[in-house]
Amino acid sequence: MNEMNEVRKPPVATTGIIGWLRLNLFFNWTNSLITLFVIYCLYQFIPWILDWTIFSADFKYNYLGEQITNQEMCSRNLDPENGGACWAVIYVRFYQFIYGFYPKVEVWRVNVAYVMLALALLPLLYAKLPYRKYFLYFTYIFPVIAYFLLNGGLGFTEVSTNKWGGLLVTLVLGCTGIALAFPIGIMLALGRRSKLPVISMMCTLFIEFIRGVPLITLLFFGMVMLPLFLPEGIDMDGLVRVLVAVTLFQSAYMAEVIRGGLQAIPPGQYEAAKSLGMSYWRMNLLIILPQAIRISIPPIVNTSIGLFKDTTLVIIVGILDLLGIGRGTLADTNWLGLSYEIYFFVSLVFFIFTFGMSRYSLYLEKKLKTGINMGAD
Amino acid sequence: MSEESIISLKNVNKWFGDFHVLQDVNLEVKKKERIVVCGPSGSGKSTMIRCINRLEEHQEGSIVVDGIELTGNLKNIDNVRKEVGMVFQQFNLFPHLSVKENITLAPIWVKKMPKAEAEELAMRQLEIVKIPEQANKYPGQLSGGQQQRVAIARSLAMNPNIMLFDEPTSALDPEMIKEVLDVMVDLANGGMTMIVVTHEMGFAKTVADRMVFMDEGKIVEEASPDKFFNNPDSDRTKLFLSQILHQ
């Protein structure tokens, strides 16, 4: 009878660090063997990669203490036994990687735009931000500000987009593509499910056509064909043409992702909304879409990450994004043979952005899940 | 008689594909009348009440609700839906909104009520269905009986003249049926015009002014509860009652 009052604890061997190790890493002999093998691989790999990227690497000076200005001065080219990565190439070309060929006197404008982008993202990232409402207003007008800031006008000198490059182009394409494709995708998804056959057919046709064509084809189409459809004398900017292609491409994918979410909403939700007297748009905006988008967060972020990486394809039509600048640098005789360093750097930058997006999606999922059990209804 | 009718179905016919779900249905409901509709599954009783707020479209005949005829006219449909509240078997609460938001949503967006007023109204409705303490929870955190009571409160917040109930207790665990029926009895005693599709015969006996029995898309029998349970005309009704009361 006495033990009735005692709080029974779980067996020691299943809790704490020891318990965790036993359950997850050394549960049985195959499990233990795999654990030991992985530890051995990490033991071999981690010191090597740290040595190559940091301890033996050149950043600005080589091991003789000279400032590096071309690949022949890299420690590893002077003495193959001595030296790791030659980051000097990134150091020397850093400006191009971040701004492309943007004129140096005007580059503060790009920096301001970068800072503003961070500010515009802030209210989207943190729901609990104080004065979030005002930050959101800023987010809405940010694209307009960014346009005049980067492109010129309103007293700013014009900087033609063929001078843009590097991270600037990658971010402009990625952000605009994702931001525009989202609302267009929602409209297409609703349109495809519409009861009006004309609308539904047009949306389906659009989605199927764009989805059935590789992005590269669309980019060529934007570059070569789009000007033919425009009236004489109107010259569409090259970057804008690419943006149109990228946005259309992304919208089609986004539409299908959101349609998937819409299909998961039980018909009872529509009926309840209608029986309360809600119109089509109100029902969709207040009841259906909030739930459908919530369900689709993982695939929405998935396609967004996909687009962010696909922007590198613009190199095909002669626009130099981050990867394009990297490849341009490699073609420079001064920096021949430094492909490890350059691709490593470009990958790292892309990874930072895409990993951030992926973390953000997890945060969103967790936040929106609180107290809501979609299955219970 | 018919000039008092708030709902009037005349020769209503409806097909799902080739399946004739409603066959020449005629029904007159007077103001403050409580009608209980019963019948075997597939008999068309849910379809009939879903036609009354146009969740389903009828193909022949006429349906007039509170003087408004239901046609393809979207304006009329919206007006009828504002008059008619509906409670579903599966509750159909909005899972992404709190209980309070579920109730205030339509008053704020459809009736353009100020938010503070709508919240006050929501709390009053939650008092009526006896769960004001659940206002800030989400539907997924409530029991089935509580969810159904929230659904009733949500409909009542639009101040409807007519309430339709489509098997409101069929998805509930037995111990929760009573709490929902109690709310519905209160509502009936308050003078609400109600059409209730249900198999809860105890509820029907205490509340109904008139019983409607449907089978195979037709109204087979219409009678007062007393006559319906003790001395029904049709054999089909007798069979149904013997099966459902299994005594």
Side-chain angles (χ1 to χ4, degrees):
Chain A
M1 284 301 112
N2 193 23
E3 64 216 357
M4 291 286 282
N5 297 328
E6 260 176 60
V7 180
R8 280 194 66 189
K9 291 199 174 123
V12 179
T14 60
T15 57
I17 298 174
I18 306 281
W20 186 88
L21 284 175
R22 272 180 66 159
L23 279 177
N24 293 290
L25 298 181
F26 299 100
F27 190 68
N28 53 29
W29 69 269
T30 20
N31 192 315
S32 307
L33 218 63
I34 294 169
T35 303
L36 289 175
F37 177 72
V38 170
I39 289 175
Y40 175 75
C41 290
L42 289 177
Y43 168 76
Q44 290 290 315
F45 178 70
I46 291 178
W48 175 80
I49 192 81
L50 283 179
D51 185 60
W52 187 79
T53 53
I54 299 170
F55 300 121
S56 300
D58 302 337
F59 288 93
K60 190 172 170 187
Y61 305 100
N62 63 17
Y63 75 108
L64 299 171
E66 301 159 330
Q67 188 166 346
I68 299 169
T69 52
N70 61 53
Q71 48 94 9
E72 283 165 15
M73 294 173 75
C74 290
S75 300
R76 73 173 158 104
N77 287 341
L78 292 171
D79 173 9
E81 299 288 293
N82 200 345
C86 186
W87 299 120
V89 59
I90 310 296
Y91 176 79
V92 173
R93 291 299 185 96
F94 192 71
Y95 186 90
Q96 282 187 19
F97 274 113
I98 304 300
Y99 308 104
F101 307 98
Y102 213 86
K104 278 220 163 99
V105 274
E106 303 287 351
V107 82
W108 64 271
R109 283 157 49 180
V110 182
N111 286 329
V112 171
Y114 282 156
V115 172
M116 280 180 156
L117 174 67
L119 277 179
L121 289 177
L122 213 57
L124 302 178
L125 299 178
Y126 295 107
K128 285 182 191 136
L129 189 75
Y131 305 109
R132 180 164 181 262
K133 215 166 100 186
Y134 301 100
F135 276 97
L136 270 180
Y137 290 143
F138 174 72
T139 306
Y140 297 142
I141 56 164
F142 167 71
V144 183
I145 301 177
Y147 170 79
F148 286 113
L149 207 53
L150 294 173
N151 186 60
L154 291 183
F156 295 119
T157 337
E158 193 167 323
V159 179
S160 141
T161 55
N162 57 28
K163 294 206 175 70
W164 302 16
L167 186 65
L168 175 61
V169 162
T170 299
L171 285 180
V172 166
L173 286 174
C175 293
T176 322
I178 292 166
L180 285 180
F182 192 55
I184 299 176
I186 289 175
M187 298 308 291
L188 284 171
L190 289 177
R192 186 166 184 173
R193 285 167 61 88
S194 166
K195 279 194 192 125
L196 307 171
V198 179
I199 292 181
S200 140
M201 238 160 61
M202 268 166 43
C203 292
T204 309
L205 211 69
F206 177 88
I207 292 169
E208 294 298 342
F209 173 72
I210 300 280
R211 223 168 37 140
V213 172
L215 178 56
I216 299 186
T217 318
L218 280 182
L219 290 174
F220 279 128
F221 179 86
M223 272 324 223
V224 182
M225 303 278 283
L226 212 56
L228 298 181
F229 293 122
L230 293 173
E232 193 107 10
I234 293 185
D235 186 26
M236 213 170 168
D237 186 279
L239 193 65
V240 175
R241 278 185 249 166
V242 166
L243 254 180
V244 170
V246 163
T247 306
L248 292 183
F249 182 77
Q250 182 69 358
S251 314
Y253 274 89
M254 202 56 96
E256 286 300 279
V257 163
I258 289 168
R259 192 168 69 95
L262 288 173
Q263 271 170 346
I265 307 297
Q269 294 289 307
Y270 292 88
E271 291 174 357
K274 281 184 198 162
S275 74
L276 289 168
M278 289 192 193
S279 65
Y280 175 82
W281 289 111
R282 237 171 235 148
M283 172 176 80
N284 275 302
L285 282 175
L286 298 170
I287 309 295
I288 307 302
L289 284 172
Q291 297 183 57
I293 291 171
R294 206 165 287 199
I295 298 171
S296 331
I297 288 174
I300 286 175
V301 174
N302 191 27
T303 47
S304 299
I305 287 177
L307 173 83
F308 190 75
K309 293 182 299 176
D310 281 352
T311 56
T312 50
L313 287 173
V314 297
I315 196 171
I316 299 280
V317 289
I319 289 175
L320 295 178
D321 74 324
L322 193 65
L323 183 64
I325 295 285
R327 289 184 59 87
T329 309
L330 271 180
D332 181 344
T333 46
N334 277 333
W335 300 109
L336 275 179
L338 292 184
S339 43
Y340 292 143
E341 285 82 351
I342 286 169
Y343 288 134
F344 190 96
F345 172 73
V346 172
S347 310
L348 188 69
V349 174
F350 272 102
F351 180 76
I352 289 169
F353 280 99
T354 52
F355 188 67
M357 284 153 90
S358 147
R359 289 280 105 184
Y360 175 57
S361 107
L362 285 181
Y363 157 81
L364 262 189
E365 273 172 59
K366 228 170 157 183
K367 189 187 90 175
L368 295 176
K369 222 162 112 186
T370 39
I372 297 168
N373 188 352
M374 302 287 249
D377 212 11
Chain B
M1 285 293 247
S2 83
E3 69 270 8
E4 292 178 58
S5 289
I6 192 165
I7 301 172
S8 154
L9 280 72
K10 288 206 176 81
N11 295 322
V12 172
N13 278 283
K14 177 172 177 62
W15 289 262
F16 285 133
D18 284 335
F19 179 56
H20 201 171
V21 257
L22 295 180
Q23 306 181 15
D24 286 321
V25 170
N26 286 289
L27 183 70
E28 301 285 326
V29 182
K30 282 174 278 176
K31 219 167 201 163
K32 300 198 176 181
E33 204 176 11
R34 276 101 53 171
I35 310 277
V36 168
V37 183
C38 59
S41 65
S43 60
K45 48 197 194 311
S46 286
T47 309
M48 179 181 76
I49 70 165
R50 287 158 62 88
C51 280
I52 294 173
N53 67 351
R54 195 81 170 183
L55 288 182
E56 302 284 356
E57 234 171 274
H58 61 287
Q59 285 139 320
E60 276 176 13
S62 79
I63 300 178
V64 179
V65 180
D66 212 5
I68 307 167
E69 171 148 23
L70 278 171
T71 56
N73 185 329
L74 292 176
K75 190 105 194 139
N76 282 356
I77 294 173
D78 279 348
N79 286 335
V80 165
R81 284 179 180 158
K82 280 177 205 162
E83 299 279 314
V84 180
M86 183 151 190
V87 175
F88 301 86
Q89 182 179 355
Q90 297 297 336
F91 330 135
N92 294 342
L93 292 178
F94 306 132
H96 62 302
L97 300 175
S98 72
V99 164
K100 201 200 271 179
E101 288 164 336
N102 261 279
I103 301 173
T104 56
L105 194 73
I108 289 174
W109 291 94
V110 179
K111 285 198 161 172
K112 313 282 175 211
M113 191 181 277
K115 196 175 173 218
E117 197 183 320
E119 282 183 353
E120 224 173 274
L121 171 72
M123 290 315 293
R124 272 207 306 281
Q125 299 304 338
L126 283 174
E127 302 272 356
I128 291 174
V129 299
K130 305 184 192 95
I131 36 172
E133 72 282 359
Q134 311 289 357
N136 293 314
K137 288 199 184 160
Y138 283 87
Q141 296 167 303
L142 304 183
S143 72
Q146 290 170 331
Q147 290 194 47
Q148 192 59 300
R149 286 188 279 161
V150 173
I152 295 174
R154 179 176 69 178
S155 282
L156 291 178
M158 289 298 281
N159 197 20
N161 291 329
I162 301 160
M163 285 288 285
L164 307 174
F165 292 84
D166 188 3
E167 304 204 28
T169 56
S170 299
L172 294 176
D173 291 336
E175 77 267 26
M176 292 165 184
I177 291 176
K178 189 174 176 297
E179 62 187 52
V180 172
L181 290 181
D182 283 349
V183 168
M184 289 168 62
V185 170
D186 288 349
L187 202 58
N189 292 338
M192 176 67 75
T193 310
M194 290 162 74
I195 302 184
V196 184
V197 173
T198 186
H199 293 141
E200 293 296 329
M201 290 303 137
F203 170 81
K205 281 175 191 165
T206 43
V207 166
D209 293 316
R210 191 157 30 118
M211 299 293 299
V212 171
F213 176 69
M214 288 184 77
D215 189 30
E216 294 178 342
K218 295 185 197 108
I219 293 183
V220 176
E221 182 142 2
E222 242 185 290
S224 69
D226 188 38
K227 179 162 186 302
F228 183 81
F229 287 109
N230 299 320
N231 188 21
D233 289 332
S234 108
D235 289 340
R236 186 67 193 86
T237 314
K238 283 177 199 156
L239 179 65
F240 175 75
L241 284 174
S242 75
Q243 280 165 341
I244 201 167
L245 299 171
H246 47 78
Q247 284 158 354

